[in-house]
Amino acid sequence: MIDISMDMEQYDCPFIDTTADHGVAFSAIHWDFDTSRRELETRMVVEGGDRGQLSQGLDALREHGNMHDYTLLSRRDDVAHIKTVIDETEAMRTIRRNDGYITGPFYIEGGSEVWHVGFDRPRQADDTLAELERDNEFDVVERTNAALPDMQDLVQNAGAAMTLIEGCEDLSETERETLETAVSSGYFESPRDATLGTLAEEFDVSKPAVSKNLRRGQRKMIQRVVDALDELE
């Protein structure tokens, strides 16, 4: 498999147009391509420089000519979660015509988009890049040839990675915030830059309470790390 990461500027992409004119960034968390309609459905996290910039960016995206469907799923301060449906872009059409496929999430900011695309054969990748150069501006950030053993390692280690992710999801909001603050404030450094007392003041709770939250969070994460190490072995 040939895996290519590229920084792409598309002239018919509503997300790129929006980030070129407004202080917002888009991160795709789910995408699905409808081959019959030749439309791309995505669920995006949108981040704005502030609440005003987010509002302006969402308004511009909703009114874009290449936007077929737009739904605001949730919003909090300067971050939103949206669902969209857009036409297949020319660059996307070129990649699909050469049997290319998406291998990672999109990230769009400042008028360009980071793409991760894959091809089964080097010739397919070379032909696609040559075609894309005619009508698009892009830079190849990285190109790797993944041999079968590499892909096997990726599949085998994916389970360990998911174990760690699930461990993070197991944390309560209080446990997560306590661990993050303890790390960032230097509680786990030697010598310590923070104490239970400073953490307790930060969260306006007692020392036993903050200690309890730390122990719970550490216990959950340590168990997940041990499980992940077993899967790696």
Side-chain angles (χ1 to χ4, degrees), residues 27-46:
S27 301
I29 55 177
H30 172 266
W31 60 93
D32 182 52
F33 189 80
D34 188 322
T35 55
S36 61
R37 295 177 178 270
R38 307 197 73 80
E39 293 177 343
L40 179 69
E41 177 184 304
T42 61
R43 284 169 175 79
M44 295 269 198
V45 172
V46 192

Side-chain angles (χ1 to χ4, degrees), residues 62-159:
R62 185 177 59 249
E63 300 301 324
H64 194 281
N66 197 20
M67 182 62 59
H68 279 199
D69 187 46
Y70 167 95
T71 304
L72 177 63
L73 300 175
S74 62
R75 173 174 176 167
R76 181 176 180 181
D77 298 327
D78 56 357
V79 179
H81 181 202
I82 63 173
K83 174 184 174 183
T84 65
V85 178
I86 69 170
D87 277 332
E88 179 183 45
T89 64
E90 183 58 39
M92 191 186 308
R93 185 177 299 112
T94 299
I95 290 172
R96 288 177 50 77
R97 186 168 58 241
N98 287 281
D99 292 327
Y101 43 87
I102 302 300
T103 60
F106 308 102
Y107 181 76
I108 311 165
E109 184 178 24
S112 66
E113 175 178 14
V114 176
W115 271 22
H116 304 279
V117 296
F119 299 90
D120 295 324
R121 296 178 176 83
R123 180 62 181 272
Q124 294 172 328
D126 294 338
D127 289 347
T128 301
L129 295 177
E131 289 185 40
L132 286 173
E133 284 182 342
R134 300 171 190 167
D135 300 305
N136 300 274
E137 296 289 337
F138 68 91
D139 293 311
V140 174
V141 178
E142 184 178 11
R143 174 170 175 162
T144 59
N145 297 337
L148 186 58
D150 297 326
M151 290 187 283
Q152 184 180 17
D153 287 343
L154 178 63
V155 172
Q156 290 176 338
N157 293 336

Side-chain angles (χ1 to χ4, degrees), residues 5 20 48 55 81 96 125 141 170 208 221:
S5 299
S55 296
H81 181 202
R96 288 177 50 77
V141 178
D170 284 345
M221 290 308 302

Side-chain angles (χ1 to χ4, degrees), residues 164-226:
L164 292 177
I165 292 173
E166 290 168 356
C168 295
E169 293 174 344
D170 284 345
L171 295 173
S172 69
E173 183 174 354
T174 298
E175 291 164 352
R176 178 181 59 79
E177 291 178 351
T178 304
L179 281 174
E180 288 177 347
T181 302
V183 171
S184 62
S185 63
Y187 177 79
F188 295 107
E189 299 294 331
S190 181
R192 286 177 172 170
D193 294 328
T195 65
L196 282 177
T198 57
L199 293 177
E201 291 178 3
E202 175 72 21
F203 291 99
D204 194 23
V205 297
S206 65
K207 289 182 183 180
V210 78
S211 176
K212 182 178 180 181
N213 290 330
L214 271 178
R215 290 198 308 272
R216 283 180 173 174
Q218 289 176 277
R219 185 167 59 249
K220 289 179 180 179
M221 290 308 302
I222 289 173
Q223 183 59 55
R224 288 292 187 170
V225 169
V226 171

